[in-house]
Amino acid sequence: MSSEYGLKKHFTGETATILGESIQAVLPGFDTAGYAAEVDRRVLDLELKDRVLVLCEGLRSRLPEEYPKALEILRSTLVDELPEGQGMFTASWFLMPVARYVEEYGLDHPEESLDFLEEVTRCHTGEYAIRPLITAHREMAMARIARWAVSPSHNVRRLASEGIRPRLPWSGKLPFFIEDPTPVLEILEHLRSDPSDYVRKSVANNLNDISKDHPHLALATARRWTEESPTTETAWIVKHSLRTLVKKGDQEALALLGTTGGEHIRVHDLSVRPAAIRLGDTVTLRFAVENTDTRGHRVTVDYAVHHVRKNGRLIPKVFKLSDIELAPGEVRHLEKAHPVREVQTRRYYPGEHPVDIQVNGLTLATDRFELLR
């Protein structure tokens, strides 16, 4: 089961059959065939989230009306806890409608819903389903999340961070946490040096969300964590949590990560070749960076591609290239191949695409390539 491109194609009667057969083990009269046929009929031309909702509605119409009883039956669909490194989109993607059931119908039963999400997240995720509960029952939900943050389960700890992200992708924002992220940071304090990579990625993404609205608070938090928790785990979180600020050239964020001397760096002989390509081709960036200072510097080298949009506007996208140590007077030659192909989150349009080389967030050279029709 691949999560890359076309995940929606798997949410058809096939998934309804997987869920229905699990439910039949505890509810023999469950109409799996009818459920699958209804899903196949309704999901045509729908996108992923709408398809998941169709599967969710089909469960609702076939399970007991009493929500707690329905949850007891849905427990039959849950699988073993996912080990570290096994993602929900590869092992338990078919449980998306089960988590969505809580999101759609669980607000009037917050205790039961929170209990069930703790089970769901061990083998899938509850990051989307918990957000309406946070909005409607914030005090209760945050008290439970504080307990989850110290759970022995890495999946449960990850939910404690991921579910409260102010700007979680694929989900509605949490405007009260965008305005005041203090309650979020109180939870993240428990996770700032977590042993699980899965949890650390979520914590870094969460603090990165906060940096978009409260850069000074995010920087102060990152600085304090660096001082109070000098572990490799915390250092990784801090580095990845500041990526948006680094891409914006925030000098305080760059300095916190140990980069220096951007004003002493020069970029020479930038070339982006071929100068004209078609979609699916690759351009290669070649250039040299020179440290003109009398002392060494550690610098962050990135590049930005200014993508042409449908209306002709240029929208820059910054890509990571390298962190390098430059001795006094050293010249380093760098090369980067950049494929120009459509991905799920980006479309290309013909026209001239400028390419910038950035050192410590400062744009020091520009070339361009043309994307042909």
Side-chain angles (χ1 to χ4, degrees), residues 76-313:
S76 66
T77 66
L78 304 184
V79 294
D80 293 338
E81 179 155 10
L82 296 178
E84 180 79 31
Q86 188 170 34
M88 63 179 180
F89 289 129
T90 56
S92 57
W93 50 273
F94 57 88
L95 291 175
M96 288 183 77
V98 176
R100 184 70 177 267
Y101 198 93
V102 177
E103 183 177 351
E104 295 294 328
Y105 310 118
L107 284 187
D108 292 336
H109 301 270
E111 288 282 3
E112 293 89 342
S113 293
L114 291 167
D115 288 343
F116 189 67
L117 286 181
E118 184 172 350
E119 297 180 61
V120 170
T121 206
R122 292 174 184 271
C123 56
H124 181 61
T125 184
E127 66 203 65
Y128 308 112
I130 197 172
R131 293 169 81 81
L133 288 163
I134 294 171
T135 300
H137 306 282
R138 197 175 317 167
E139 185 176 348
M140 178 189 297
M142 292 303 288
R144 183 69 67 94
I145 288 168
R147 285 159 43 190
W148 290 346
V150 295
S151 168
S153 165
H154 66 281
N155 292 304
V156 175
R157 295 197 308 277
R158 190 256 187 183
L159 177 59
S161 169
E162 196 72 4
I164 59 175
R165 282 181 59 182
R167 295 180 175 274
L168 180 67
W170 287 19
S171 181
K173 300 178 179 66
L174 295 178
F176 39 86
F177 288 156
I178 291 176
E179 182 178 350
D180 178 15
T182 302
V184 177
L185 291 171
E186 290 173 354
I187 299 297
L188 299 187
E189 287 292 329
H190 298 288
L191 306 169
R192 67 186 188 181
S193 188
D194 199 274
S196 164
D197 180 61
Y198 191 42
V199 177
R200 290 195 300 273
K201 287 179 180 177
S202 176
V203 175
N205 288 337
N206 201 326
L207 191 57
N208 183 59
D209 279 2
I210 293 171
S211 77
K212 297 173 183 178
D213 302 290
H214 303 274
H216 297 298
L217 179 59
L219 279 165
T221 300
R223 187 181 304 106
R224 180 171 55 78
W225 285 2
T226 299
E227 295 169 353
E228 296 177 354
S229 179
T231 68
T232 56
E233 291 83 5
T234 299
W236 189 95
I237 289 172
V238 166
K239 178 179 180 180
H240 290 272
S241 70
L242 298 181
R243 63 186 183 274
T244 294
L245 294 178
V246 166
K247 288 178 179 180
K248 289 182 177 179
D250 187 291
Q251 296 302 299
E252 188 176 352
L254 287 158
L256 181 58
L257 298 178
T259 62
T260 61
E263 68 275 17
H264 298 289
I265 306 302
R266 302 292 179 267
V267 172
H268 305 291
D269 304 323
L270 170 63
S271 70
V272 179
R273 295 293 181 270
I277 64 169
R278 297 190 184 277
L279 189 63
D281 293 342
T282 296
V283 294
T284 299
L285 289 60
R286 295 185 178 90
F287 59 97
V289 291
E290 178 188 7
N291 179 12
T292 64
D293 200 6
T294 56
R295 66 186 184 92
H297 292 288
R298 180 178 182 270
V299 298
T300 294
V301 183
D302 299 320
Y303 67 100
V305 178
H306 295 257
H307 295 107
V308 178
R309 308 313 301 149
K310 189 174 183 179
N311 60 8
R313 292 178 58 208

Side-chain angles (χ1 to χ4, degrees), residues 17-55:
T17 299
I18 293 172
L19 294 173
E21 289 178 349
S22 296
I23 291 170
Q24 280 183 307
V26 295
L27 188 67
F30 187 86
D31 181 13
T32 298
Y35 179 36
E38 177 189 325
V39 169
D40 274 333
R41 185 172 64 253
R42 292 184 59 197
V43 298
L44 293 175
D45 301 322
L46 296 181
E47 296 302 319
L48 173 62
K49 294 187 73 173
D50 290 333
R51 288 183 174 217
V52 172
L53 180 58
V54 166
L55 281 145

